[in-house]
Amino acid sequence: MYTQSFSVSDQDDAKSAGQTASLVAVPKQASASEQALQAQFDERIDADGRVEPREWMPDAYRKTLVRQISQHAHSEIVGMLPEGNWISRAPSLKRKAILIAKVQDEGGHGLYLYSAAETLGTSRDQMLDALHTGKAKYSSIFNYPTLNWADVGVVGWLVDGAAIMNQIPLCRCSYGPYARAMVRVCKEESFHQRQGYEALLVMMQGTAEQKAMVQDAVNRWWWKCLAMFGPPDADSPNSAQGMRWGIKRISNDDLRQKFVDATVPQAKVLGVTLPDPDLKWNEERQAHDYGQIDWDEFWATVNGNGPCNKERLGARVKAWNDGAWVREAALAHAQKQQARQMKEAA
Ligand code: FAQ
């Protein structure tokens, strides 16, 4: 009841909704063989097939995937920071063990995703350089502080809940390595969401002070989680093409709506109020209406001016610099081993 389902109905699929998979036009000067490859690719996408690393793909498709997958990978490893802060302050051994496992999972998600992006010909060093120099984006949500233990529960419930909602459709992404990585990621995110919700359920059976902490954390995170799904469809420059290519399957607004509809009953069971006076069931739409998201704040955060942007980027750059000797030692060891193997083989 309190997690997002692991299946997506075909009705939500852009293609089943009647859109065609027609793609960016092939440049006029393309050779006959390029046009044939493009036609083959289009046919594969139209038939809802998978594209694999060594197969031909248009440059724009490759570029879009590198952009989205690397941003996703960056979000996972930056996302380790707000919760990682709480490992040493978890209220019990059980909560500490769960939190360590969760934060470690997020690091693993980063690894699968960097590996998936590398199959497109961009190196991990290039992607990390883009993150460290502020050229690459990562999810806006990780630029907000986790002020107390209730925030850790709310990040699990709402942030991971929003992440699963967005990521389940990506299990059917047209690019094979991304889709396969997402299957495992979603299973782990489901555990993350449940552990957060369960931690909050326990707090909500506690003292008045604990209950107030949960409500305060929900008040601070709710709107940021709604913004996480990205700009409204009308202002989303990448959505239409991403959906025609079968990379994105459900639009930003539709995912946001699904998240609201799934979360309202969960909030009721928990006993918290979602901080939106306009939130109400719309019988006609069979969905909840909700209030205005502050998009100015969202863009300010995406563009580097959120409350924790500098701290988050600083922590990643420091971890990279502090780890230089480990990378150098691992490389030297691998080179030594390779030289020994070659000597033995000679
Ligand atoms: N934050 O045209 P669209 C997690 C950018 S993982 C920052 O709609 P698109 C797990 C967007 O990149 C969370 N920037 O773009 C976890 C684009 O800029 P660009 C991450 C955002 O790609 C939990 C511009 O706005 N998940 O939470 C955001 O079609 C707990 C225009 O937007 C993923 O990355 C944002 N929220 O749709 C970890 C999932 N939204 O690139 C640790 C995969 C939009 O043109 C702890 N990604 N922008 O310069 C996606 O599904 C898509 O990329 C969207 C954006 C939906 C994020």
Side-chain angles (χ1 to χ4, degrees):
M1 199 292 282
Y2 49 78
T3 189
Q4 272 75 47
S5 102
F6 191 63
S7 64
V8 177
S9 102
D10 283 345
Q11 278 170 349
D12 295 323
D13 198 314
K15 286 203 204 110
S16 342
Q19 290 187 19
T20 74
S22 62
L23 306 172
V24 169
V26 192
K28 282 206 177 76
Q29 66 275 23
S31 67
S33 70
E34 271 177 322
Q35 292 198 19
L37 288 166
Q38 175 78 48
Q40 239 174 30
F41 174 86
D42 291 354
E43 209 178 298
R44 171 93 51 96
I45 296 287
D46 285 342
D48 227 355
R50 283 264 162 91
V51 179
E52 295 298 338
R54 286 186 202 156
E55 291 168 349
W56 186 90
M57 61 187 84
D59 284 345
Y61 177 80
R62 186 185 298 276
K63 216 167 140 194
T64 294
L65 281 167
V66 171
R67 178 186 64 80
Q68 180 166 327
I69 303 172
S70 64
Q71 285 179 2
H72 192 166
H74 301 328
S75 305
E76 299 283 355
I77 63 162
V78 175
M80 295 168 77
L81 299 169
E83 287 172 290
N85 266 336
W86 279 90
I87 291 174
S88 58
R89 292 174 285 169
S92 69
L93 182 60
K94 176 182 147 187
R95 295 288 170 207
K96 191 184 184 97
I98 293 172
L99 190 58
I100 290 173
K102 179 192 191 291
V103 172
Q104 196 168 293
D105 281 354
E106 309 296 5
H109 298 173
L111 287 184
Y112 316 150
L113 289 164
Y114 284 123
S115 300
E118 279 179 314
T119 65
L120 292 153
T122 302
S123 74
R124 194 171 305 194
D125 281 357
Q126 284 172 306
M127 290 183 265
L128 287 171
D129 184 63
L131 173 67
H132 297 158
T133 53
K135 286 183 212 129
K137 291 189 169 71
Y138 59 86
S139 183
S140 50
I141 197 74
F142 301 117
N143 291 307
Y144 297 98
T146 38
L147 300 180
N148 60 48
W149 180 252
D151 287 48
V152 176
V154 169
V155 167
W157 174 38
L158 295 180
V159 175
D160 285 275
I164 309 171
M165 195 55 95
N166 164 283
Q167 290 171 181
I168 286 170
L170 294 174
C171 298
R172 294 189 297 117
C173 166
S174 59
Y175 187 57
Y178 192 25
R180 288 189 287 275
M182 291 320 296
V183 172
R184 178 152 170 193
V185 169
C186 284
K187 286 184 180 159
E188 291 174 354
E189 297 289 20
S190 179
F191 147 65
H192 298 169
Q193 196 252 5
R194 280 159 187 254
Q195 67 78 35
Y197 193 73
E198 193 267 342
L200 296 177
L201 277 174
V202 172
M203 283 185 86
M204 289 302 286
Q205 283 151 25
T207 62
E209 209 180 1
Q210 284 175 309
K211 290 180 195 172
M213 272 168 75
V214 175
Q215 183 62 58
D216 171 59
V218 170
N219 293 348
R220 282 182 289 106
W221 287 93
W222 173 247
W223 290 104
K224 320 307 186 216
C225 288
L226 292 194
M228 234 181 115
F229 291 92
D233 294 348
D235 304 325
S236 161
N238 304 303
S239 273
Q241 186 63 62
M243 288 180 78
R244 276 188 232 116
W245 272 328
I247 296 173
K248 279 172 98 158
R249 296 285 180 163
I250 304 181
S251 79
N252 298 358
D253 283 335
D254 288 352
L255 284 170
R256 195 170 4 252
Q257 181 70 60
K258 277 167 162 290
F259 175 71
V260 172
D261 293 339
T263 309
V264 167
Q266 295 168 7
K268 209 167 155 197
V269 172
L270 197 56
V272 294
T273 307
L274 296 173
D276 178 0
D278 297 323
L279 184 65
K280 57 175 179 307
W281 179 249
N282 181 324
E283 191 57 35
E284 205 178 314
R285 288 200 309 118
Q286 289 291 298
H288 291 86
D289 291 336
Y290 55 90
Q292 277 299 316
I293 295 167
D294 184 346
W295 291 112
D296 290 341
E297 191 213 314
F298 169 79
W299 287 117
T301 304
V302 171
N303 291 324
N305 299 313
C308 302
N309 295 58
K310 286 182 186 62
E311 186 185 329
R312 300 289 185 241
L313 213 54
R316 286 304 335 162
V317 171
K318 183 176 182 313
W320 176 255
N321 292 338
D322 289 351
W325 69 272
V326 180
R327 292 191 301 278
E328 280 160 22
L331 204 64
H333 179 66
Q335 279 164 351
K336 233 188 207 170
Q337 265 189 329
Q338 201 183 19
R340 194 177 303 144
Q341 276 165 3
M342 280 169 72
K343 208 170 156 193
E344 277 167 12

